Amino acid sequence: MRVAVVSDIHSNLTAFRAVAADFGEVEEVWCLGDLVGYGPDPNECVALLREHPHVCVAGNHDWAALGKVTTDVFNVAAASAAWWTAAHLTEETKEYLLGLPLEIDREGWRLVHGSPRDPIWEYVLEESQAEELFSLFPGRGCLIGHTHIPHVFVETPDGAEYLGPEYGDPLTLEESRVIVNPGSIGQPRDGDPRACYALLDTTAGLLEHRRVAYDIEEVQARMQAAGLPKPLWQRLSYGM
Ligand code: ZN
């Protein structure tokens, strides 16, 4: 099955549209949560995802916008965007977000937002963490988001090995079990402002990270007009 793995869209419709144009015809879209929060288009992003055959798990920002988790742990800008989002969600979007599960097992892959240990909150950045996580999910691999940083961890006899994302040349997974973060569409944080996602061929065992340029200034202007906090739209220029 040919799948587009997307995460952390964060209400950025312009970036999500550019990514959808890039992946074109895929059999399914697998979304790893944080559809909303930060950006100006929460309802439109949910609607665009729902135009595709897809599965989706919940992220911490989806839950924050629904009032299912406290915004006390968020910084001021993130909390203020969560309140803005809560005030702008339609009933239809709310109902959709409320129905999202914390984890999904599909075609031998585990999908979560944070980690298989803590699907909502854990940030997976280190080999030592990945090493502990490999025993916590079945099958081929685990797809995670939340950090907004694309990467691959491969299970090795000694633990886990970090592989940076490879662009333009698919990685052959063969028999190795992996933990993959496709990066963020709506607010990348690895120093590259372009939207990031991954293409996965579950049958051939091929994985490719992709970067897609989009009109960042157009989104920033709309965020500013919506009254969303300045640090949130400024950071889109730097991908940090
Ligand atoms: Zn996020």
Side-chain angles (χ1 to χ4, degrees):
M1 180 186 283
R2 197 166 166 273
V3 176
V5 185
V6 304
S7 193
D8 297 278
I9 296 164
H10 281 295
S11 299
N12 185 337
L13 182 66
T14 312
F16 190 20
R17 274 195 183 139
V19 164
D22 189 72
F23 63 65
E25 290 290 316
V26 288
E27 283 162 88
E28 287 189 357
V29 177
W30 292 357
C31 175
L32 308 177
D34 278 7
L35 272 161
V36 305
Y38 297 138
D41 318 303
N43 301 302
E44 294 80 359
C45 285
V46 171
L48 179 54
L49 178 65
R50 296 179 78 183
E51 284 176 20
H52 298 83
H54 77 282
V55 292
C56 183
V57 293
N60 55 317
H61 284 262
D62 303 316
W63 275 19
L66 295 168
K68 284 182 79 166
V69 290
T70 171
T71 52
D72 291 356
V73 291
F74 284 9
N75 62 43
V76 177
S80 143
W83 303 327
W84 185 94
T85 303
H88 288 81
L89 291 184
T90 62
E91 284 308 314
E92 193 184 342
T93 303
K94 263 188 226 170
E95 203 177 306
Y96 174 83
L97 295 176
L98 277 168
L100 296 179
L102 287 180
E103 59 180 46
I104 292 173
D105 285 313
R106 194 148 184 90
E107 301 266 318
W109 290 81
R110 164 74 49 92
L111 283 64
V112 289
H113 180 63
S115 86
R117 176 161 53 197
D118 182 347
I120 285 287
W121 291 112
E122 184 175 9
Y123 290 90
V124 181
L125 291 161
E126 307 291 337
E127 280 180 353
S128 57
Q129 267 175 301
E131 210 172 302
E132 294 165 8
L133 298 174
F134 274 111
S135 63
L136 302 181
F137 59 88
R140 197 76 188 75
C142 186
L143 303 170
I144 61 174
H146 195 40
T147 62
H148 299 206
I149 296 174
H151 58 60
V152 181
F153 291 103
V154 182
E155 190 176 36
T156 67
D158 309 322
E161 186 190 348
Y162 173 89
L163 300 179
E166 290 287 337
Y167 300 109
D169 194 15
L171 178 71
T172 306
L173 301 174
E174 291 168 359
E175 295 308 309
S176 314
R177 296 179 77 231
V178 288
I179 296 172
V180 177
N181 190 317
S184 167
I185 290 182
Q187 195 196 87
R189 291 179 190 159
D190 61 340
D192 182 338
R194 294 174 298 169
C196 194
Y197 79 103
L199 286 172
L200 175 66
D201 186 326
T202 60
T203 318
L206 294 174
L207 173 77
E208 181 187 351
H209 279 88
R210 294 183 65 82
R211 296 310 285 235
V212 184
Y214 70 96
D215 189 345
I216 292 172
E217 286 176 16
E218 184 265 346
V219 180
Q220 290 173 317
R222 290 190 301 110
M223 288 173 77
Q224 200 171 357
L228 285 157
K230 191 172 180 182
L232 292 182
W233 52 264
Q234 277 183 326
R235 69 188 301 175
L236 295 181
S237 301
Y238 310 106
M240 285 304 281

